[in-house]
Amino acid sequence: VQLQASGGGLVQAGGSLRLSCAASGGIFRILSMGWYRQVPGKEVELVAENTSGRTNYANSVKGRFTISRDNARDMVYLQMNNLKPEDTAVYYCNAQIKPSSIDDYSDYWGQGTQVTVSS
């Protein structure tokens, strides 16, 4: 199973970016898909997640970020609007996936994608 993230970049404060993440490989079922971020020297923090249609957001991004899933394509998106310099971080895609019917769910991570918001 692999997660491939894309869509990061450099944007001015107030701008928008859309992150995408595609899961591929042997996938029986996906329980949750989400996005985390990390600033150098700080812990990884949850940004947003979608678990069987239920969404959860970090307080700092509520009202600005929207997570969505395309279950048919095993993809998750993060629409980020009104970006702030404090949103600058490496963003990681995460998914809880059951590779086969006899497997348990396991955590999978994509490679990070840099988001930089200039003031």
Side-chain angles (χ1 to χ4, degrees):
V1 177
Q2 291 185 329
L3 299 181
Q4 181 70 40
S6 61
L10 172 65
V11 65
Q12 289 188 331
S16 299
L17 283 174
R18 187 190 193 214
L19 304 183
S20 301
C21 177
S24 62
I27 297 173
F28 176 73
R29 187 168 294 154
I30 300 177
L31 176 63
S32 70
M33 299 189 82
W35 294 92
Y36 290 72
R37 66 187 181 187
Q38 186 174 30
V39 176
K42 295 188 177 181
E43 293 185 354
V44 174
E45 66 167 345
L46 171 69
V47 177
E49 63 183 352
N50 181 312
T51 303
S52 300
R54 299 186 304 275
T55 57
N56 180 39
Y57 294 91
N59 287 333
S60 60
V61 307
K62 284 181 180 178
R64 300 187 299 121
F65 291 10
T66 303
I67 188 170
S68 60
R69 279 175 66 172
D70 183 338
N71 293 325
R73 297 184 177 183
D74 293 334
M75 294 192 68
V76 64
Y77 306 93
L78 185 68
Q79 178 66 43
M80 304 184 293
N81 297 329
N82 190 22
L83 282 158
K84 302 177 180 181
E86 51 263 41
D87 294 317
T88 295
V90 177
Y91 285 69
Y92 295 92
C93 174
N94 168 267
Q96 293 182 329
I97 297 173
K98 180 182 288 198
S100 75
S101 61
I102 63 172
D103 289 319
D104 291 329
Y105 285 101
S106 296
D107 261 337
Y108 293 88
W109 294 87
Q111 88 289 4
T113 184
Q114 177 71 45
V115 171
T116 302
V117 184
S118 63
S119 57

